[in-house]
Amino acid sequence: MSAVTTLIWPIQQPTFIFGLADGKVKLGNVKGSKSQTIYSSESYVVSLTSSPSGQGILCGHADGTIVRYTFDNDSELSKGPVCKHSCSPYALSWSLTSIVAAGCDRRVMVYNHSGKPIQQFDYSKEEDEKEFMCSATSPSGQTVVLGSFNRLRVYNWSPRKEMWDEATPKFIDNLYTITALTWKRDGSRLTSGSLCGAVDLFDCCLRRVTYRNKFELTYVGPSQVIVKNIGTGARVILKSQFDYEIEKVDVMGKDRYLVAYTSSTILLGDMANCKLSEIMWSDTGGNEKFYFENQSVCMIFNAGELTLVEYGINDILGSVRTEVMNPHLISVRINERKQKDIEQCKMLAYLMDLQTISIMDLSSGVTVGSVSHDTRINWLELNETGRKLLFRDKKLKLNLYDVESETLSPLLSYCSFVQWVPQSDVVVAQNRDSLCIWYNIDSPDKVTMFPMKGEVTGIEKQGGQTQVIVQSGVETMSYGLDEGLIEFGTAIDDGDHLRAIHFLETLELTKEVEAMWNTLAGITLQEGQLKMAERCYAAVRDVSKARYLKDVNQLANKITTETGHDGSKHYLIQAKVAILNKQFKTAERLLLEKGDSENAMEMYMELGRWEDVLAVAELTGHPDLDGLKASHLQWLLDSGQEERAGEMREKEGDLHSAVNLYIKAGLPAKAARLVTQHPELSGQLDLLQQLASSLIRGGLFERAGELLEQARLYQEAMEAYRRGGAFRKAIELARGAFPNEVVSLEEQWGDQLCSQKQYESAILHFIESGNVMKAIEAAIHGRQWSKAVQIVETQDPSATEEYHKQIADHYASIKNYELAESLYVRSGQFKAAVEMYIKSDQWEPAYRIAVDCMGSDEVHGLYLAKAEELETQGRLREAERLYILVKEPDLAISMYNKCKQYEPMMKLVATYHPDILPDTHLHLAKELEADKQYRQAENHYVQGNEWKSAVNMYRTHSLWDDAYRVAKAHGGSNAANQVAYLWAKSLGGDSAVKLLSKFGLLEAAVDYATENYSFDFAFEIAKAALKSKVPEIHLKYAIYLEDEGKFSEAELAFIRAGKPKEAVLMYVHQQDWDAAQHVAEEHSPESVPDVLIGQARVAFQKKDYQKAESYLLRADRPDLVVSQYKDAEMWNDALRIIKEYLPHKLDEFQREMAARSGKNYQDLLSQAKTWESSGEYSRAISTYLLLTVQNCENQDILIQSWNKAVDLCVKFAREKEADVVKLVCDRLANINRYSEAGELFISSDMIKEGIDMFISGEEWEKARHVAKTIAPRFEQYVEEAYIDFLKERNRPEEMQRVDPDGALKMYMQSGEWDKCLQLAKELGPSVLFKYVALYAAHLIKSNASLSALKLFTTYGAPPLPQNFNIYKRLCMEVFGENLEGGTAYPTYSSLRNMLFSIVDELSRTSESGSLSCREFEQYLLVSHYLATRSACSRVPQLNGIVAKISVSLLRHTDVIPADRAFYQAGMYCKAVGLESMAFIFYNRFLDLSEAIEEGSLDMIDNSDFVDTDIPFEVPLPEQPFMTEDKREEIKEWVLALSMDRQVEQTLPLDDERQTYVASLTSPHTGVTSLPCIVTGYPVLKQKVEFKRGGRCANKGDWTKFVMNTKASQNEECLDVVHFITKWCGQPLNPAHTF
């Protein structure tokens, strides 16, 4: 035996592998205790490793050979040598993607599965690295660890790079050589063993995080995470089967379920059952929602798609589309109950829409059932077998659907709770105060009910008992169910029928038990368990079936005894069972297959089915077939069945015998039919007369008449027709034989129809007979009122007066007062019309008619009397209307005043006496105040613009809260603060402080109190809450006392305020020097100088200069002494003081003295000339320049002096020339001498400055001349300056000559668009279109979109991409205009024509089919519909088309205002009688109006528009386009219609598609129809096609539109037809052309 060198046991394998020193690799079988050689080599086995899946092994040999062996014979990997390593691979690992080998050469090699090297890590040059002795692969296969001397090297697989990355090595000093490595199964720990016997444990996680302080997430690899419950210690390993990196882990569903994300998959796990699933999943941005209500499956909802994933299965169980995601509206059943012959039961029930349930078999993906309900469904649930479905609608009606039989059964009304009992098909439901239980759901009518109190909350199973838990107030009760009855259902499901029989035998026979016996009987009979079926039928006392089965069982036993085989399988037994089930054809087939035709014929004979007997006889070629037929005939005659005998003879061709038999059977009609069908019998007059007599005796006069007419016995035929009431045929006969009787027959026919209550048909016949009065009576009796109106309108009113009244009375009763009025008036019954309107409280039309037919005084008295009567009855509104009608508003005002109904009274005063409205408000306010009705009084004070009186009223009655409220509402914050102040002042103390703190008015109250001199209240508040304000109050108090002349008290207040200086100043102001000196010395020493200065000022005023000088010198202010002396022109004294006290200012003082004695300009000139003559040129220049406009008004002298200064500079001071020239030129410019300044600059060679000066003086010609002759480089500069000048001065006419584009911009900026466009037109089309677009954009921004449209209509709209946004904005603005009347069609047609030209041009360019082109096509379609609707609204016969267009426009509410679109759709639908659609659209209009006010669409219910192409998300207008009053009228109409049950409150569907009639796309098929070019409705079958454009129209709508356009010759409609022809071409069918 050879030594074992290596040993491994691969996971998921029943055997282990070991390597020997002789090179063999063996497999060890534990059960047999034997080994088997799987590979043999001559080289020592140094290493063994297995694949991460355990399906293969690698062995390394001393010669470097690496060999592979796989346990799976179907594996794609080959067995045998893989590669040869450079040395003995002591360290060998097999990862998911590659093979890692290393040894004593200190190199780590990575091979692919084919043995090709793909990566290398070379450590041979590292002196501290030793040979590699062992390695280990992590369980995930993504990490490999190699051990060497004192070091562990770690390599991680990077899926993104598809290569190995080396991590930081782990160096452990003194560990020595590592000889063994192994991983913990979950990959979280690594254990190593060293040569010295040390065993070390390493934590190998990538990172560890705590999740919600409940779970610890350990990332042991990129694709593996260990999830540990911190509380329980339970661990779950979450691993990607595809080795994707796990990016995120969440714990959901009551901390039971795991959800993890990778880049391409989602991992789902049930931690309770340790079931994990991984499915492929594209990145949805995290928008998916998870539902964990079902313990077997996870439901994922994303973007309208529901995905089901069964835990433990790495595949999607099913996926469906649904917009309804609610756990109560989705039911999933996954193998929840074992069923006979069914291995997999995976069923799903969900809502396709709010009223449609779909049931899907998830195993096959086939839809096995669908339920369409008429009401919204709010709950559904399948039973555990998936064969029954319970669902409840919003009306709380519970229904049961059988999936197999596709039958729907109503179970219960007012159902507030329902649930399947677990592990059974028993249903428990609550109906108000009753508990309802269906123990046998196959019999829905068998229900057990008993009373209860409270609300059912659930069902629990404990200790073999099923309890219904009921919550009644705070008390919880339970009701037990009959476990035996539940057990029956379980036995049936398990297929244990004998146990079910034993159980039922223990019960009394009740309705529920009887239903169970019948169910069991049907099941056992179907499965061929005949004895059990016999027992079941015997139990329910079905004697006939029990006895029949007993005979069958006896026969089966006999067959078993005779043949030794199971008699129940014998064909005869099966045939008898089929007979019992009334499956006679099945029984016949079974018998005939065995050749037993006799038993088959006997079966039919016993049943009396001779036809089947003869059929079997003919089929089997029975020898006595004729005898059987004769026997059959004789049997029919003997049993009195002459009719069937006649039919038999008829089939045999014996017509005479058949006719006689029919007559004998009393069936002359059948005999007559036979004669009629066979002409050879119609020539026998005797036979015809005999038949006619028989028919007349049988009352079949019409058939008799036909035979007599056939025999040409016209008089007898006419009589028969008359007697039989067959007037149609009588008239047809009379037209040929008796033409004079046609009129009388028509009248008789009408009388007959009236006797039969068929008044509508009788009307026409009376009209044909010329008896109009009878026609009117028939119309009245038949309630055909519209026809009655049509008839009476053609007659003389005097002859039909009575009928007029009857018809008018009817229309008055149904409130069609307008038509009733016309009938009353036509027949001269004016008083009846007046009485009608009075009874209906419509006084205005009654008044109108009464004025025409009664005297004014009589009408006035009548209405006043009626008004007084209504007033006494308390019907004040009606009385008011009457008073107003007779122009007596004062009586109405007085009436309301007496009744103290002031609101309507004030409305009348405002309407009829607005001049006294404020006085009336004040008068009422005072009366209400006296009656202590303060709120009403307040209202009238406010409306009378006397809100201050309301405040005073509340103040007077100490109602400060109301006073504050009114002041704040109407007087603003200042008034409210004043009221709060007075309120606080009335409270005083702490209450006042608390109140002011509440309003945040503490500081404001203090300030207000001090401003109003309420210093005591101010001190009280400040000391209590604002101590920092006390000094400020003292200061204000001091100022107040000073103003009051209380100086001593003021002094004390100033000192308390910390302002003693203010007290000093007070005394100074009062010239009380002693007091001022005293306060200053005591409290403010720094103020002593101020006192002395004040005394000095007074002394100066008194000209006591010596004393004043003394005071100021004491105050150390000699500068003030000097100032005072200067003011007094006492220069010597001032000089004395300066010399003595301010010597440093002596020079300045002397200069000042010289300046004060300054000279005039003549002196300056004289001085300058003196300096010049003496050669002091610099001083002369300076002196000349001293002359300015301030000291010389003569400009000539100024210019002469400045020029002299320049000349002197030129001659004697060249260094100053430039500065002097600039100074002089600036001065010349300041006196508007630009020409002289420019010439001076030019003469000094300062060309640029000279040109600038000419430009400043607008001397353009001089500037151009200088630039041209002296400095050409400045020519462009001059021209640019000229253009800037023209722009600045806004002179576009001059600008045209030099810069036309600039002139255009100037015209544009100044708003002179007509001139701008005129100039642009001259410059060419491209320039014109540019400025047309700019002008249009300006008009649109200025809310003049119609003018912009007119502009494009005038100049054209080229399809330039830069104009597209303008066109789109223009379309949106025009669509947003509320156009009515004569402006609508010209506007919409102009927009339509403009868009057509754009689309037409774009279709010929590369932009065809682009997004912009499609948008313009949509705008073109919308504008076309708007124009067509506007045109059709002028023709009453086209109102239906107007309504259809309005409905179609709703699919474009993303570009037209949605609220107006829905309002107009509702209005036009209502006008043509489509009340259901009008209700829906008006309701949507009201919802949108509320959404506009709230600024959000979030609260709108879109359920009415599901499966339509009307968009849900639409832009909301800024403001509703309709007034609140009008919206209230619509709301009242909608509420009234919602109470009318005859009006369906849903959108109508078309019969063909079962889709909303105006929707282009069918949600059921996905097919999109073309819109009608006239109405926008979908074009389905009958259509009119056009020559181009790919457009069509509904034939009916096109024909109606064209015909009415021809008839009316409406210009707008004609223009629409012309446009359609231009757009779409002529219709392909010439019959449809205009």
Side-chain angles (χ1 to χ4, degrees), residues 20 22-26 36-43 45 59 61 65 67 81:
L20 305 177
D22 60 3
K24 293 181 181 179
V25 179
K26 292 192 174 185
Q36 173 187 350
T37 301
I38 60 175
Y39 177 73
S40 179
S41 172
E42 298 298 328
S43 182
V45 179
C59 61
H61 296 266
T65 304
V67 181

Side-chain angles (χ1 to χ4, degrees), residues 638-795:
D638 292 344
S639 58
Q641 300 183 54
E642 288 85 359
E643 180 183 1
R644 296 183 65 185
E647 292 173 352
M648 185 175 176
R649 289 299 188 192
E650 183 179 350
K651 290 180 181 178
E652 294 173 353
D654 190 354
L655 301 179
H656 285 282
S657 299
V659 170
N660 291 328
L661 285 171
Y662 284 145
I663 293 174
K664 183 178 180 182
L667 299 171
K670 214 165 187 179
R673 176 187 57 78
L674 197 59
V675 171
T676 304
Q677 290 177 351
H678 297 83
E680 63 270 18
L681 299 176
S682 61
Q684 303 178 21
L685 295 179
D686 294 340
L687 179 61
L688 293 176
Q689 288 180 341
Q690 180 185 359
L691 269 176
S693 300
S694 298
L695 289 168
I696 289 172
R697 285 195 300 272
L700 301 173
F701 300 104
E702 185 174 355
R703 298 299 301 274
E706 290 175 355
L707 290 176
L708 292 171
E709 187 176 354
Q710 191 174 352
R712 299 192 177 182
L713 299 173
Y714 297 129
Q715 191 60 46
E716 291 80 353
M718 178 64 74
E719 185 61 29
Y721 285 143
R722 286 179 185 273
R723 292 180 63 186
F727 289 101
R728 184 184 302 280
K729 292 190 176 180
I731 291 173
E732 291 176 359
L733 177 59
R735 285 196 174 100
F738 313 105
N740 294 331
E741 297 184 16
V742 172
V743 174
S744 62
L745 285 171
E746 289 280 3
E747 186 173 352
Q748 292 174 28
W749 195 358
D751 292 335
Q752 181 203 30
L753 291 171
C754 286
S755 66
Q756 296 172 353
K757 308 297 183 182
Q758 300 181 30
Y759 298 108
E760 185 176 1
S761 301
I763 296 170
L764 298 175
H765 297 292
F766 284 134
I767 292 174
E768 289 291 334
S769 67
N771 196 332
V772 178
M773 298 304 172
K774 279 191 175 183
I776 297 174
E777 290 178 357
I780 292 173
H781 289 137
R783 306 188 67 79
Q784 299 294 317
W785 302 103
S786 59
K787 290 186 178 180
V789 171
Q790 293 174 4
I791 297 171
V792 298
E793 286 179 347
T794 63
Q795 305 299 312

Side-chain angles (χ1 to χ4, degrees), residues 1202-1203 1205-1207 1209-1211 1213-1214 1216-1225 1228 1236-1251 1266 1270:
W1202 294 338
N1203 288 333
V1206 172
D1207 291 340
C1209 285
V1210 171
K1211 293 177 180 179
R1214 298 287 294 185
K1216 292 185 178 181
E1217 179 183 2
D1219 294 334
V1220 171
V1221 169
K1222 288 182 180 179
L1223 176 62
V1224 170
C1225 289
L1228 289 172
E1236 291 88 338
E1239 292 173 355
L1240 182 58
F1241 271 131
I1242 298 300
S1243 64
S1244 300
D1245 291 332
M1246 302 172 71
I1247 308 301
K1248 173 71 165 53
E1249 290 80 354
I1251 291 174
V1266 170
I1270 301 176

